[in-house]
Amino acid sequence: MPKITIKETQNPSILKFEFDDFITQNESFEFKNIDEAKNSPLAQQLFYLPFVKTIYLSGNFVAIEKYNIVEWEDVKDAVAEQIETFVANGGAIITVQENKTQKQPITVYGETTPNPAALKFVVSRMLTKTAIEFKNIDETAASPLAKELFKIAYVKEVFIDENYISVTKYEINDWQDITLEIRTFIKQYIENGGIVIDENLIAASVEQEAIKTDNFDKLDLTSQQIINILEEYVKPAVQADGGNIAFESYDESTKTAKVILQGACSGCPSSTFTLKSGIENMLKSMLNDERITVEAVNA
């Protein structure tokens, strides 16, 4: 049976039910009622629940907007179980439509980050399951979109994760002058069928990360604890700010944990404060060791 992960969104009426893999192929769907959901047996099934208002299918998730007659806390587990059971019993999420050429519109909006040189562009569909950072155009083999963005003179770095793209700019331009241009470019590029990430090529770009994951069981206990703390408590916060953090190493002799900052977090003026006053203090407290220090290898 597929395992569904429940995630909150910024809209308290909408909850996301995530799968372990993609459920749509470069398309997003929105259904307001059961008649609109003719090509989604799963959505039709969910509309039999009286509190379901709107259903969104995109990337690796089903998002449901509810009416106010219930609270998510009371029904979310039952909804997740219903989705899991429906799919496990062979129910189709989306039925393929032949000769479908209609463009699927998306929305893109910009969000500020703690790094004044970086802006986070949030897209209304899933882009990738693997965070990936590009420091220059030569690194963009896995991302045709990133390659095109680097052709814009003021783009310095690009970071892509889940449903957003963080763009770091050079100082020659102000965001108020270029935000609309980048947002429009991303929107039109994706709507016209442009490839954001080539998942077949991304494996080579994240080989080092994969090796670290495979070697998790071989690490010492403290390193494993640090990785778990970063994943559970730190990464969601930095992702919300358009960045990412990854474990690099831990030296027991010096009590030093080294991490990699990506996206908006890389080069951010407040990153040192975040490392020392936030992450370092968290590790000291949760691991009960005041000698632990944290360093960013690319700060």
Coordinates of all heavy atoms in Angstrom, one line a residue, residues 4 15-19 23 42-43 46 55-58 60-64 83 93:
I4 N 1.1 7.7 2.4 CA 0.8 9.1 2.1 C 1.3 9.9 3.3 O 1.2 9.6 4.5 CB -0.7 9.2 2.1 CG1 -1.3 8.4 0.9 CG2 -1.1 10.7 1.9 CD1 -0.8 8.9 -0.5
L15 N -5.0 21.1 2.6 CA -4.0 20.1 3.1 C -3.4 19.3 1.9 O -4.2 19.0 1.0 CB -4.7 19.2 4.1 CG -3.8 18.6 5.2 CD1 -3.2 19.8 6.0 CD2 -4.6 17.7 6.1
K16 N -2.1 19.0 1.9 CA -1.5 18.2 0.9 C -1.3 16.8 1.3 O -0.9 16.5 2.5 CB -0.1 18.8 0.5 CG -0.2 20.1 -0.2 CD 1.1 20.8 -0.4 CE 2.1 20.0 -1.2 NZ 3.4 20.7 -1.4
F17 N -1.6 15.9 0.5 CA -1.4 14.4 0.7 C -0.4 14.0 -0.3 O -0.7 13.8 -1.5 CB -2.7 13.7 0.6 CG -3.8 14.1 1.6 CD1 -4.6 15.2 1.3 CD2 -3.9 13.5 2.8 CE1 -5.5 15.6 2.2 CE2 -4.8 13.9 3.7 CZ -5.7 15.0 3.4
E18 N 0.9 13.8 0.2 CA 2.0 13.5 -0.7 C 2.3 12.0 -0.9 O 2.2 11.3 0.1 CB 3.3 14.2 -0.2 CG 3.2 15.7 -0.3 CD 4.5 16.4 0.0 OE1 5.4 15.7 0.4 OE2 4.6 17.6 -0.2
F19 N 2.6 11.6 -2.1 CA 3.0 10.3 -2.5 C 4.5 10.2 -2.5 O 5.2 11.3 -2.5 CB 2.5 9.9 -3.9 CG 1.0 9.7 -3.9 CD1 0.1 10.8 -4.0 CD2 0.5 8.4 -4.0 CE1 -1.2 10.6 -4.0 CE2 -0.9 8.2 -4.0 CZ -1.8 9.3 -4.0
I23 N 2.7 11.6 -9.4 CA 1.5 11.0 -9.9 C 0.9 11.7 -11.1 O 0.0 11.2 -11.7 CB 0.4 11.2 -8.7 CG1 0.1 12.6 -8.4 CG2 0.8 10.4 -7.5 CD1 -1.0 12.8 -7.4
L42 N -9.8 9.0 -8.8 CA -9.5 9.3 -7.4 C -10.2 10.6 -6.9 O -10.8 10.6 -5.9 CB -8.0 9.5 -7.2 CG -7.5 10.0 -5.8 CD1 -8.0 9.0 -4.7 CD2 -6.0 10.2 -5.7
A43 N -10.1 11.6 -7.7 CA -10.8 12.9 -7.4 C -12.3 12.7 -7.3 O -13.0 13.2 -6.4 CB -10.5 14.0 -8.4
L46 N -13.1 11.2 -4.0 CA -12.9 12.1 -2.9 C -14.1 13.1 -2.8 O -14.4 13.6 -1.7 CB -11.6 12.8 -3.0 CG -10.3 12.0 -2.8 CD1 -9.1 12.7 -3.1 CD2 -10.3 11.5 -1.3
I55 N -10.2 20.0 -5.5 CA -9.1 19.1 -5.5 C -8.0 19.5 -6.5 O -8.4 19.8 -7.6 CB -9.6 17.6 -5.8 CG1 -10.5 17.2 -4.7 CG2 -8.4 16.7 -5.9 CD1 -11.2 15.8 -5.0
Y56 N -6.8 19.5 -6.1 CA -5.7 19.8 -6.9 C -4.7 18.6 -7.1 O -4.4 17.9 -6.0 CB -4.8 21.0 -6.4 CG -5.6 22.2 -6.0 CD1 -6.2 22.3 -4.8 CD2 -5.9 23.2 -6.9 CE1 -6.9 23.4 -4.4 CE2 -6.6 24.3 -6.6 CZ -7.1 24.4 -5.3 OH -7.9 25.5 -5.0
L57 N -4.3 18.2 -8.3 CA -3.4 17.2 -8.5 C -2.2 17.8 -9.2 O -2.3 18.4 -10.2 CB -4.0 16.0 -9.4 CG -5.2 15.4 -8.9 CD1 -5.7 14.3 -9.9 CD2 -5.0 14.7 -7.5
S58 N -1.0 17.5 -8.6 CA 0.2 18.1 -9.3 C 1.5 17.4 -8.7 O 1.5 17.1 -7.5 CB 0.3 19.6 -9.0 OG 1.5 20.2 -9.6
N60 N 3.8 15.3 -7.0 CA 3.6 14.0 -6.2 C 2.6 14.2 -5.2 O 2.6 13.4 -4.2 CB 5.0 13.7 -5.6 CG 5.3 14.7 -4.4 OD1 5.0 15.9 -4.5 ND2 6.0 14.2 -3.4
F61 N 1.6 15.1 -5.3 CA 0.6 15.3 -4.3 C -0.8 15.5 -4.8 O -1.0 15.9 -5.9 CB 1.0 16.4 -3.4 CG 1.0 17.8 -4.0 CD1 -0.2 18.5 -4.1 CD2 2.2 18.3 -4.5 CE1 -0.2 19.8 -4.7 CE2 2.1 19.6 -5.2 CZ 1.0 20.3 -5.2
V62 N -1.7 15.2 -3.9 CA -3.1 15.6 -4.0 C -3.4 16.6 -2.9 O -3.1 16.4 -1.7 CB -4.1 14.4 -3.8 CG1 -5.5 14.8 -3.8 CG2 -3.8 13.3 -4.8
A63 N -3.8 17.8 -3.3 CA -4.2 18.8 -2.3 C -5.7 19.0 -2.3 O -6.3 19.0 -3.4 CB -3.5 20.2 -2.7
I64 N -6.2 19.1 -1.1 CA -7.7 19.2 -1.0 C -8.0 20.4 -0.2 O -7.5 20.7 0.9 CB -8.3 18.0 -0.2 CG1 -7.9 16.7 -1.0 CG2 -9.8 18.1 0.0 CD1 -8.4 15.4 -0.3
I83 N -7.2 7.5 0.5 CA -6.4 7.6 -0.7 C -5.5 6.4 -0.9 O -5.4 5.8 -1.9 CB -5.6 8.9 -0.7 CG1 -6.5 10.1 -0.7 CG2 -4.6 9.0 -1.8 CD1 -5.8 11.5 -0.5
I93 N -5.4 7.3 -10.5 CA -5.3 8.7 -10.1 C -5.7 9.6 -11.2 O -6.6 10.5 -11.1 CB -3.9 9.0 -9.6 CG1 -3.6 8.2 -8.4 CG2 -3.8 10.5 -9.2 CD1 -2.2 8.3 -7.9

